[in-house]
Amino acid sequence: MDSPTGGDDFTPLFYVGQHESKRALPVTDRILRQAQDCNYDMLTTPITSPHFHSRVLALLSCHLSQLRSGSNASVSASYDDLPLPIIPPLTPVDTPLTPNKTIAQLLAVTSPWIDLCSPDPLIANVSRQVLSLEIAYAAFCGVGNIIIIGPKFRYGKAHADGLAQYARAVQEALNVGAYVQIQILLPITDHPELDIEDEMGDLAPFAREEYVEDTVEKEARRPDLYGTWDAWNVIRTLCKYSARLFVALSLPRHLPPLSIQSRWHSEPVRLLSINASSYLRNPKSFPVLSKTHQALISRFMRLRNPPWILLSEVGPIPGLDDPNAAVPVADGFLSPSTAADAAAGAGSPLPTPAEASQQQSQFPLGAGSGSRRIKDPTPHLSYIRHLQRNQPSRSIIERFGSGYQDYLQAPLQPLTDNLESITYEVFEKDPVKYDWYERAIAQALSDWVAQGKYTSGADSKVVVAVVGAGRGPLVTRVLRASEGAGVPVEVWAVEKNPNAYVVLQRHNEEDWQGRVTVVKSDMRSWKGPWHDPITPIGHATTSPPPMSMSETGAESERSGYGTVDILVSELLGSFADNELSPECLDGVQHVLNPTHGISIPSSYTAHLTPIAAPRLHADISSRSATDPAGPETPYVVMLHAIDFLSTISSPSSTAPTASTTATNNTIQINPLPHIQTAWSFTHPLPPSTLALSALRRSGSLSGGGGGLTGGAGANEHNTRYSRMNFKCRDRGVCHGLAGYFEAVLYEGGGREGGVGRVELSTNPETMETKSRDMTSWFPIFFPLKTPMYLPDNSELEVSIWRQTDDRKVWYEWLVEAFLVVGSERRVRLGVSDLHSSQKNGCLM
């Protein structure tokens, strides 16, 4: 891991392609090399030619003519019995593609003139035939990626039926091209202004009136922020979250609010398509992107698998008319004046439509002020390369988690498994956590002396035990805190892992100068510190000295077991208690000073919120054949490509207009997630609670009839249940629950002018203020077997249990969806299965 204060020299890879909807020439090896010389990485190519288009139109026109005439000389069948036309196989003049070495660097684009959503079965059938022919031939040629133009929102009430047809056609395409990856080209939002007008030769106008007349909306279609996402959700759901199905997202000139941007960020976006019309002009007519566009691109480029960028309609490849001409390479190194203009232009006010039209006529793209021409033949590409070289530095968490974004990991089982050294090493790279622990320990020591508490150690030393010491980072912090606070301590390090025990002994000899007593023991079996001449402080031991069980009080002060004043542990998991911190600390509480003993941490809480995580759901679903328990396993994962379904609106999260954003040179702020507390644990527990636990464990009559979920019920005081309500303003799909925790390491000693609480947090709402840049814990993810769709203005009820049978601990959870009707009534939309991680529970 890089130093927290060091710079980040990481430069993301931008794979940039060029797209022309009316590409005049087939993409040959020479054209591809020319494009690469200009610093493009790939090109698009149509799968079929205008000749094929003409042949399909002729076939369709002939069929429609026969239908209108009712019969003709060659067909004696009735009007209704006339078979649908069949498109013959492709011929060499029908396609520019052929298998060759350049094919892998091309993005194939299906015909934009088909209409898979048509309510006319004839047009829909012909469109499906065209799509099938194109997919099959492109797959045969070795094309790896195919772009299919998304559904058009023109049929009003019949849109749902047409969308089902479209999704069915995409599923067939995935079956036809078994190794092809398909991208559905969609606008970022459903807005009438973004509709693409029908062109000459499109099949949509051929739809017959009897099928279209009832589908035409009487009123103008209203914008729908989530309309295209809704369409995508139908497509990918019908295709069962195929790992070969992606989104190609088209970015308009004015971006929608961050809520819908965040939704697309959670989806498998493979391409960001930027049209020339989406660019702004700076004062020198250089094409630039707005600050909001730059922020969106930066955000997407931080994904584990960042999307490619496709520049559309930005002009032909330079130099094709003169192969010997020298073409400048768009390397992103703009001249100082041009770079300054590009940066300034992105934050300048957007022109009005009238101003933009006037500027377009005065300075066409590629022209400078007056008659001066911009020398760069690919200014749009140069600007993208400029952005690539000037991406914001990654945060400490982003650098630490590089490669682990949305990577599913099973939670650790430190009680049953001995961790490897590399696992400890990863934890120890987090300076924030150990700084905060040192701060809590130092404050606890200072408060101990200031409050005049008696100590359990010899020579008035405060006895500090680090239980679950691992390789010893907390032991080092205890010694450092003691020196900083000026309070002498007697330190014990308890660890069950025999391999880590060796490292602890070496640290004690080489780094701690023999000031620590290292104990090889499960903390729950450790009877506490002991003082005798046989095992002096600073030595390692694997077993306690023999002592009669009747030895107590003064008899045990020198040769028997003593107590611990401050008990330090780092047993927290991603959901606070999922690595059995409550059970471990309950088991070692008997060594803690019953009057003044302090536990660090003193308490912790678990938190939940529903999220959309389609990539995680697809990953878990793909494992279900080999891991049947996967859909009911809580996973530790660095959540990145997700969307929070329940958010808290704030003034800063409201999307301003594009001009306001550009004028103020500000970036919109994401809405805050609504994260609720599930339950909490506190240490040390009241002695009566532990006494009842021991009574139930003994199996005596007064201990009851056993636990509710098995066992004697000795650990039932650590069971929990919570039910939470989340309001979801915008429609979405719930794929599971994101879990976080907050922990109070030390409450504060109550001294006047004291520092106050020392806390840790992975909760996005509080992490920045409590433990910024902490990297030790990733969130936890509770998946749903079947995703749950939520309409606008719905509510989600989450129920979760922490269960135990005295041998293991597991979680159970379910989700219920409700639609709010009126002010009081709620209609239940559905309920998930009751999920249980008992098969993969954490063993005690």
Side-chain angles (χ1 to χ4, degrees):
M1 179 180 172
D2 298 331
S3 170
T5 58
D8 180 21
D9 57 358
F10 170 77
T11 300
L13 292 176
F14 280 29
Y15 290 97
V16 185
Q18 186 255 16
H19 171 64
E20 293 178 57
S21 59
K22 305 294 184 183
R23 197 180 295 280
L25 299 173
V27 180
T28 62
D29 184 55
R30 185 183 72 83
I31 292 178
L32 183 61
R33 287 200 309 268
Q34 184 73 11
Q36 291 172 339
D37 288 343
C38 295
N39 214 4
Y40 282 112
D41 297 299
M42 53 198 166
L43 296 176
T44 62
T45 178
I47 300 175
T48 53
S49 65
H51 181 274
F52 175 73
H53 187 189
S54 301
R55 192 153 63 88
V56 172
L57 289 177
L59 183 66
L60 180 61
S61 298
C62 180
H63 186 81
L64 290 172
S65 178
Q66 292 177 11
L67 290 177
R68 282 192 292 268
S69 63
S71 62
N72 55 47
S74 62
V75 179
S76 59
S78 67
Y79 176 90
D80 295 329
D81 293 335
L82 190 65
L84 293 172
I86 298 177
I87 301 175
L90 298 177
T91 64
V93 295
D94 290 330
T95 175
L97 292 183
T98 186
N100 54 43
K101 61 182 180 181
T102 65
I103 203 76
Q105 300 175 65
L106 299 180
L107 300 175
V109 182
T110 61
S111 295
W113 41 267
I114 63 176
D115 187 9
L116 297 167
C117 289
S118 177
D120 187 336
L122 170 62
I123 303 302
N125 181 270
V126 170
S127 298
R128 285 174 59 185
Q129 289 187 61
V130 171
L131 180 67
S132 181
L133 283 171
E134 292 183 332
I135 296 292
Y137 184 71
F140 166 78
C141 290
V143 171
N145 293 272
I146 299 177
I147 300 173
I148 300 179
I149 308 302
K152 298 178 181 179
F153 303 90
R154 60 157 63 87
Y155 296 117
K157 296 179 180 179
H159 169 65
D161 296 336
L163 190 56
Q165 288 192 88
Y166 183 97
R168 182 71 174 82
V170 172
Q171 184 188 49
E172 291 174 349
L174 288 168
N175 294 332
V176 170
Y179 301 100
V180 169
Q181 296 188 352
I182 292 178
Q183 289 91 48
I184 309 298
L185 181 60
L186 294 167
I188 195 170
T189 188
D190 176 16
H191 198 291
E193 293 181 359
L194 302 179
D195 289 347
I196 300 176
E197 297 294 332
D198 291 328
E199 297 185 4
M200 182 69 69
D202 285 1
L203 299 189
F206 286 89
R208 290 164 288 178
E209 292 184 2
E210 59 265 32
Y211 295 100
V212 177
E213 58 184 0
D214 294 333
T215 66
V216 177
E217 293 182 330
K218 297 180 180 180
E219 298 180 0
R221 183 162 55 87
R222 296 180 179 179
D224 184 359
L225 286 179
Y226 290 85
T228 50
W229 173 85
D230 232 342
W232 160 249
N233 182 56
V234 171
I235 297 167
R236 60 95 177 276
T237 301
L238 192 145
C239 296
K240 299 180 180 179
Y241 286 78
S242 171
R244 295 187 291 115
L245 185 63
F246 301 89
V247 176
L249 198 62
S250 178
L251 304 183
R253 187 182 182 90
H254 304 293
L255 290 178
L258 273 174
S259 57
I260 187 60
Q261 293 182 39
S262 296
R263 178 63 51 80
W264 284 117
H265 182 261
S266 69
E267 299 294 348
V269 176
R270 170 59 62 86
L271 280 171
L272 292 177
S273 177
I274 308 176
N275 197 281
S277 61
S278 298
Y279 281 79
L280 310 178
R281 301 293 190 84
N282 63 13
K284 293 188 178 180
S285 194
F286 195 88
V288 296
L289 292 173
S290 70
K291 289 289 186 181
T292 53
H293 284 78
Q294 295 177 42
L296 182 144
I297 291 174
S298 295
R299 186 180 183 188
F300 272 85
M301 288 304 165
R302 277 164 163 70
L303 289 169
R304 185 181 177 190
N305 297 307
W308 304 332
I309 295 177
L310 192 63
L311 301 182
S312 303
E313 315 303 342
V314 293
I317 302 297
L320 291 182
D321 53 346
D322 185 5
N324 297 320
V327 179
V329 176
D331 54 10
F333 289 101
L334 305 181
S335 65
S337 60
T338 304
D341 290 337
S348 60
L350 297 179
T352 64
E355 292 171 342
S357 176
Q358 183 180 7
Q359 190 179 42
Q360 184 77 16
S361 61
Q362 291 178 349
F363 306 115
L365 271 180
S369 59
S371 60
R372 182 172 57 86
R373 304 287 297 180
I374 293 179
K375 296 180 181 180
D376 189 349
T378 56
H380 303 84
L381 176 60
S382 295
Y383 181 76
I384 293 296
R385 294 301 184 192
H386 171 71
L387 288 184
Q388 177 183 359
R389 301 192 62 86
N390 293 276
Q391 285 295 291
S393 298
R394 295 177 300 173
S395 66
I396 291 177
I397 294 178
E398 287 175 328
R399 280 180 273 165
F400 177 84
S402 178
Y404 288 95
Q405 298 164 335
D406 301 313
Y407 179 77
L408 298 169
Q409 305 174 70
L412 297 175
Q413 295 225 23
L415 279 184
T416 55
D417 300 333
N418 289 322
L419 303 182
E420 300 294 334
S421 180
I422 187 63
T423 305
Y424 289 118
E425 183 178 346
V426 171
F427 297 151
E428 292 167 11
K429 286 182 178 180
D430 183 358
V432 175
K433 176 179 70 173
Y434 294 109
D435 285 348
W436 258 234
Y437 262 99
E438 180 181 337
R439 186 172 146 204
I441 296 166
Q443 188 174 339
L445 291 172
S446 299
D447 289 344
W448 192 283
V449 174
Q451 294 170 13
K453 297 179 181 179
Y454 70 86
T455 63
S456 301
D459 302 324
S460 299
K461 291 183 178 179
V462 178
V463 179
V464 181
V466 179
V467 291
R471 301 198 311 179
L474 277 182
V475 178
T476 301
R477 295 299 181 135
V478 168
L479 296 173
R480 190 181 298 176
S482 169
E483 295 171 357
V487 179
V489 293
E490 175 187 319
V491 184
W492 293 74
V494 182
E495 176 55 51
K496 73 173 183 63
N497 187 337
N499 306 308
Y501 176 65
V502 177
V503 178
L504 287 172
Q505 294 177 77
R506 181 165 287 119
H507 278 313
N508 198 26
E509 295 172 1
E510 299 176 357
D511 303 321
W512 302 330
Q513 291 78 46
R515 292 179 291 169
V516 179
T517 303
V518 182
V519 181
K520 164 69 174 67
S521 173
D522 185 314
M523 69 181 73
R524 296 170 295 179
S525 303
W526 185 47
K527 291 183 172 61
W530 61 89
H531 306 141
D532 62 79
I534 300 176
T535 311
I537 293 176
H539 284 62
T541 181
T542 58
S543 60
M547 185 183 75
S548 169
M549 292 299 294
S550 62
E551 289 184 271
T552 58
E555 295 179 359
S556 64
E557 185 175 340
R558 291 185 56 83
S559 61
Y561 299 106
T563 58
V564 172
D565 297 322
I566 301 178
L567 195 67
V568 184
S569 64
E570 52 175 332
L571 306 171
L572 297 173
S574 295
F575 200 49
D577 55 80
N578 61 296
E579 293 183 11
L580 304 188
S581 177
E583 285 71 20
C584 291
L585 293 182
D586 288 354
V588 75
Q589 184 174 320
H590 63 275
V591 308
L592 190 63
N593 185 315
T595 306
H596 302 297
I598 296 173
S599 173
I600 296 177
S602 62
S603 64
Y604 37 87
T605 52
H607 303 259
L608 281 174
T609 189
I611 61 172
R615 301 189 191 206
L616 296 181
H617 175 76
D619 192 357
I620 294 172
S621 298
S622 66
R623 305 180 182 191
S624 58
T626 56
D627 184 13
E632 294 184 278
T633 299
Y635 290 96
V636 173
V637 56
M638 183 182 180
L639 299 175
H640 192 67
I642 65 165
D643 187 33
F644 295 105
L645 296 174
S646 180
T647 58
I648 303 172
S649 59
S650 61
S652 58
S653 67
T654 304
T657 62
S659 59
T660 302
T661 303
T663 301
N664 295 335
N665 200 25
T666 57
I667 301 299
Q668 302 175 41
I669 300 175
N670 275 318
L672 297 175
H674 184 202
I675 301 174
Q676 298 189 38
T677 302
W679 50 62
S680 62
F681 289 88
T682 303
H683 301 285
L685 285 175
S688 59
T689 301
L690 293 182
L692 179 60
S693 173
L695 190 64
R696 300 193 71 173
R697 185 179 294 109
S698 68
S700 64
L701 184 63
S702 57
L708 296 175
T709 54
N715 194 40
E716 275 196 356
H717 63 282
N718 284 325
T719 61
R720 295 290 189 274
Y721 165 69
S722 179
R723 184 174 177 86
M724 293 156 281
N725 176 275
F726 295 91
K727 291 178 171 56
C728 304
R729 182 191 62 187
D730 301 315
R731 76 197 77 165
V733 175
C734 180
H735 296 96
L737 309 170
Y740 308 91
F741 79 87
E742 295 182 12
V744 177
L745 295 181
Y746 183 62
E747 282 280 3
R751 292 183 296 129
E752 187 174 349
V755 178
R757 281 188 172 192
V758 181
E759 299 179 80
L760 300 177
S761 174
T762 65
N763 184 344
E765 289 184 323
T766 59
M767 185 175 181
E768 283 294 307
T769 56
K770 293 185 177 181
S771 52
R772 182 179 181 182
D773 295 330
M774 185 175 65
T775 59
S776 285
W777 292 276
F778 292 156
I780 198 167
F781 177 62
F782 295 91
L784 296 183
K785 294 179 183 177
T786 304
M788 181 169 291
Y789 181 82
L790 305 172
D792 293 331
N793 299 315
S794 57
E795 293 185 3
L796 210 61
E797 296 277 356
V798 175
S799 299
I800 187 168
W801 296 260
R802 188 182 196 264
Q803 303 281 45
T804 181
D805 60 1
D806 295 345
R807 295 183 295 275
K808 66 168 64 172
V809 172
W810 68 93
Y811 297 97
E812 296 176 359
W813 63 96
L814 67 83
V815 172
E816 301 168 86
F818 296 87
L819 178 64
V820 180
V821 180
S823 58
E824 298 181 357
R825 186 183 171 204
R826 297 196 310 169
V827 178
R828 187 188 302 275
L829 298 176
V831 58
S832 72
D833 292 343
L834 176 61
H835 300 71
S836 174
S837 64
Q838 186 170 8
K839 292 182 179 179
N840 291 326
C842 204
L843 298 173
M844 297 170 58

